[in-house]
Amino acid sequence: EAEVAQSPRYKITEKSQAVAFWCDPISGHATLYWYRQILGQGPELLVQFQDESVVDDSQLPKDRFSAERLKGVDSTLKIQPAELGDSAMYLCASSLSQGQRETQYFGPGTRLLVL
Amino acid sequence: GQQVMQIPQYQHVQEGEDFTTYCNSSTTLSNIQWYKQRPGGHPVFLIQLVKSGEVKKQKRLTFQFGEAKKNSSLHITATQTTDVGTYFCAADYTGNQFYFGTGTSLTVIP
């Protein structure tokens, strides 16, 4: 069964450093999501792509976070500089298309610890 | 952003007991999805509810969508240790974005 791939699985960094996460969605899935999940809370949407275009990045802290999906396939989420409060699980998900009734398939996530 | 309240936050049950989690919204939803996240894992899709008053069953799991499409519930009959995890609802207001609830963490005591 096809899965969403993410790397790295774990990342430890010091504050003020730059970090980058990679996601490869299920083949053929046009919509890609990046979520942040703080321990004990539900996933919070950071950015949503439809193909290579950003559909929603209203919750993305744009002063330090950036995301791209240049060819409409895989995607990178970057944090620069990282802050202590960025410690969380970063989940990538994909769906066939945008809109209601679409199941989101989540990757295993990248657990980030900022020291 | 939109607020989706989910209760309870934690639930401990003896194996064989039933379990219910509730998801409530102050505004009408377009549809709602339910996900399960095992400890250390990632959310896995369970079901989607679209119609007012809809009820769907998956073996021991029963999902309901309220008549006003503002609330939903997940009920597990005769819990098993494999049911352990956190159950999230994800509410869709506009048809484009899902807002996840805070989740209910289920512990099943053997």
Side-chain angles (χ1 to χ4, degrees):
Chain A
E1 182 176 304
E3 295 180 340
V4 176
Q6 286 188 250
S7 67
R9 294 292 306 276
Y10 304 93
K11 179 69 177 179
I12 301 175
T13 190
E14 294 183 343
K15 62 180 181 178
S16 80
Q17 296 298 306
V19 292
F21 313 133
W22 177 79
C23 172
D24 191 13
I26 293 173
S27 178
H29 279 196
T31 308
L32 185 147
Y33 312 80
W34 282 102
Y35 287 90
R36 175 170 59 188
Q37 186 175 25
I38 296 170
L39 194 62
Q41 298 183 18
E44 173 194 12
L45 181 69
L46 293 174
V47 61
Q48 178 179 339
F49 289 92
Q50 179 69 17
D51 299 312
E52 68 277 5
S53 300
V54 173
V55 173
D56 187 340
D57 63 356
S58 56
Q59 300 301 312
L60 188 72
K62 298 181 186 64
D63 57 334
R64 298 185 299 108
F65 287 65
S66 63
E68 59 183 18
R69 194 185 183 198
L70 294 176
K71 297 183 179 179
V73 181
D74 59 338
S75 176
T76 302
L77 178 69
K78 296 179 181 178
I79 309 175
Q80 182 173 17
E83 295 181 353
L84 297 178
D86 296 331
S87 295
M89 174 77 87
Y90 290 82
L91 293 162
C92 178
S94 69
S95 62
L96 270 174
S97 64
Q98 180 179 276
Q100 57 181 313
R101 310 187 187 190
E102 288 295 341
T103 300
Q104 295 182 56
Y105 297 88
F106 282 83
T110 295
R111 188 170 294 280
L112 173 67
L113 178 61
V114 182
L115 301 176
Chain B
Q2 299 284 0
Q3 292 288 328
V4 182
M5 303 304 297
Q6 197 171 345
I7 55 170
Q9 188 175 2
Y10 303 97
Q11 184 79 57
H12 293 71
V13 300
Q14 290 287 143
E15 189 173 16
E17 291 182 339
D18 292 356
F19 159 78
T20 304
T21 174
Y22 301 89
C23 189
N24 299 300
S25 169
S26 57
T27 55
T28 302
L29 304 174
S30 174
N31 63 91
I32 194 164
Q33 296 180 346
W34 285 91
Y35 290 79
K36 177 184 179 181
Q37 187 172 21
R38 294 181 184 275
H42 56 276
V44 174
F45 175 81
L46 294 176
I47 204 98
Q48 176 165 266
L49 304 171
V50 179
K51 300 177 183 177
S52 168
E54 188 170 14
V55 178
K56 288 187 176 180
K57 293 189 176 183
Q58 289 180 350
K59 298 181 180 178
R60 296 178 294 105
L61 277 61
T62 301
F63 303 84
Q64 293 190 347
F65 204 6
E67 293 290 340
K69 298 183 72 174
K70 289 184 177 182
N71 54 72
S72 181
S73 66
L74 158 59
H75 179 82
I76 302 178
T77 303
T79 55
Q80 300 175 359
T81 54
T82 53
D83 295 326
V84 165
T86 301
Y87 293 84
F88 292 99
C89 62
D92 180 9
Y93 294 88
T94 63
N96 281 331
Q97 183 181 127
F98 284 93
Y99 294 87
F100 280 79
T102 50
T104 296
S105 175
L106 173 64
T107 300
V108 179
I109 305 165

